[in-house]
Amino acid sequence: MRKQNKSYEPSKGLAFITRNKKVVATIIITLYLLVMIIIGVCLRGDLEQIAYSSEIVGGIFIMAGLVISVLQYTASSVENTILREKEKKVRAAEIANEFQAEIIPLSSMLADAYAKSGLDKDLLVKIEKKKLEMFDKDEVLSIVSLEEISQAYARLYGGYLSAHYTEKNLKRDADGKVTGVRFSKEEKDEAEQTIDLCIQNLSNKLEYFGICLNSGIADEDTVYQSLHSVFFQCVHMMYVFIFYSNTSESDRFFANMSSLYVRWKERYEKLVEQENKELINLKKNVKDRIVVKAKK
């Protein structure tokens, strides 16, 4: 996690200068005129001495003006940096809200179809165990075959249907006992369209999500902790369906989604490794204290 830099806080003096530029300029000019009047009075009208003194005083005020200009620029930069950070956090909160409202329902629908079809126990597990890096056709085919992809589509359609059947879909025997479930061609076509549209919409929304975070318009740290787990699951569920079409770098689909996945996965693994090391050290310290007590 990135730590906030407290040194970026502008001082009250810098803030006053930045917000009151005209007042500061008026004060400097007035002060310069007063100094020159005082010098003129003290030198009793000696023009040569007054001219010489004015050069010295003018140089001092020019240097002071340069210093104040630098301070103004510094203060403005600091305030702009803070403002941009706040705007990025606000945008991150908005994106997180959009994620919850638009992406979660789609991912829940797809996850339900995975569970009903049994794909969560074979295909999804197989993808989760693989280190995904290239997100292209060759990598997809190193995990599943073309036949398995085709079967996965069919099983998803069936999973969706099994989660949305009604009483009229039940087949019963003469005693009224349920013997199976049947669906019309229209219902099957609707299931295919629903699942296909779900994958399409979910992938497009996740690509937009990736664009917002990869471009830096939203603060990544704000959304990572709460959304990374769902994001990983979404990518895993859609992986064989949307990245199979990536056959060349010049025509790569969903590049922002895949690059965000790689970056977040590396971050996740580093955090897990760090937590494991801390846990091992904690257990070692406890063990050492127990050993010391036992010796006593």
Side-chain angles (χ1 to χ4, degrees):
M1 295 290 287
R2 182 183 58 194
K3 295 182 179 179
Q4 294 291 336
N5 190 348
K6 299 298 183 182
S7 63
Y8 268 47
E9 292 291 338
S11 66
K12 293 182 178 179
L14 288 178
F16 175 82
I17 291 173
T18 303
R19 295 166 187 165
N20 301 276
K21 296 179 181 179
K22 292 182 179 180
V23 174
V24 173
T26 301
I27 291 173
I28 292 174
I29 294 171
T30 302
L31 185 60
Y32 175 77
L33 293 175
L34 287 174
V35 170
M36 291 308 303
I37 291 172
I38 293 172
I39 290 175
V41 172
C42 293
L43 295 177
R44 299 177 181 180
D46 189 335
L47 296 180
E48 184 178 350
Q49 291 295 322
I50 291 174
Y52 178 72
S53 300
S54 67
E55 290 179 2
I56 297 174
V57 173
I60 294 172
F61 273 88
I62 289 173
M63 291 300 297
L66 290 174
V67 171
I68 291 173
S69 297
V70 171
L71 292 176
Q72 288 178 339
Y73 175 78
T74 303
S76 297
S77 298
V78 170
E79 289 186 346
N80 288 336
T81 299
I82 294 173
L83 180 61
R84 284 196 298 270
E85 289 297 319
K86 289 181 179 179
E87 289 175 346
K88 287 170 66 175
K89 290 183 182 297
V90 170
R91 183 62 185 132
E94 292 173 349
I95 290 174
N97 185 56
E98 293 172 7
F99 192 101
Q100 298 289 343
E102 300 178 11
I103 294 178
I104 294 297
L106 293 172
S107 67
S108 297
M109 179 192 296
L110 196 57
D112 192 37
Y114 259 86
K116 293 292 184 180
S117 65
L119 284 171
D120 59 329
K121 293 181 174 59
D122 45 49
L123 177 60
L124 200 57
V125 170
K126 192 182 294 186
I127 294 171
E128 288 172 346
K129 290 181 179 180
K130 180 75 174 181
K131 184 176 178 62
L132 307 179
E133 297 176 303
M134 301 306 297
F135 293 87
D136 59 9
K137 181 179 179 179
D138 291 337
E139 186 177 73
V140 171
L141 293 180
S142 71
I143 302 174
V144 295
S145 65
L146 285 174
E147 184 180 354
E148 287 176 309
I149 295 175
S150 179
Q151 290 175 354
Y153 271 116
R155 290 173 65 181
L156 278 182
Y157 301 151
Y160 177 82
L161 286 170
S162 65
H164 294 83
Y165 68 86
T166 61
E167 179 67 25
K168 68 182 181 66
N169 298 118
L170 299 178
K171 293 193 298 184
R172 300 179 183 274
D173 58 17
D175 297 326
K177 184 178 179 181
V178 177
T179 58
V181 182
R182 61 169 170 244
F183 298 95
S184 66
K185 183 179 183 305
E186 290 75 15
E187 289 174 319
K188 293 177 181 179
D189 290 341
E190 182 183 353
E192 291 184 19
Q193 293 173 4
T194 300
I195 290 297
D196 290 347
L197 187 61
C198 175
I199 293 174
Q200 177 183 332
N201 289 339
L202 184 56
S203 57
N204 287 334
K205 289 181 183 300
L206 284 178
E207 178 68 2
Y208 172 73
F209 179 75
I211 290 172
C212 292
L213 296 181
N214 292 340
S215 63
I217 66 174
D219 183 65
E220 193 171 315
D221 292 341
T222 303
V223 298
Y224 169 81
Q225 192 58 43
S226 58
L227 299 181
H228 73 278
S229 180
V230 179
F231 177 74
F232 291 157
Q233 183 188 34
C234 289
V235 175
H236 293 156
M237 288 192 296
M238 297 187 299
Y239 176 76
V240 299
F241 307 118
I242 66 174
F243 294 110
Y244 174 79
S245 300
N246 283 339
T247 56
S248 65
E249 289 301 317
S250 58
D251 295 315
R252 175 171 285 274
F253 297 100
F254 307 109
N256 284 280
M257 186 202 307
S258 58
S259 62
L260 179 63
Y261 175 91
V262 171
R263 187 167 70 253
W264 274 16
K265 201 66 176 177
E266 289 177 354
R267 178 175 183 171
Y268 175 77
E269 290 171 354
K270 287 180 181 178
L271 288 173
V272 170
E273 183 181 358
Q274 181 180 347
E275 288 176 1
N276 289 336
K277 287 181 179 179
E278 291 176 353
L279 183 60
I280 291 173
N281 290 334
L282 179 61
K283 290 181 177 180
K284 184 176 182 301
N285 291 336
V286 172
K287 179 181 177 181
D288 290 343
R289 286 198 295 269
I290 292 174
V291 171
V292 170
K293 286 184 178 181
K295 287 182 177 180
K296 290 182 178 179

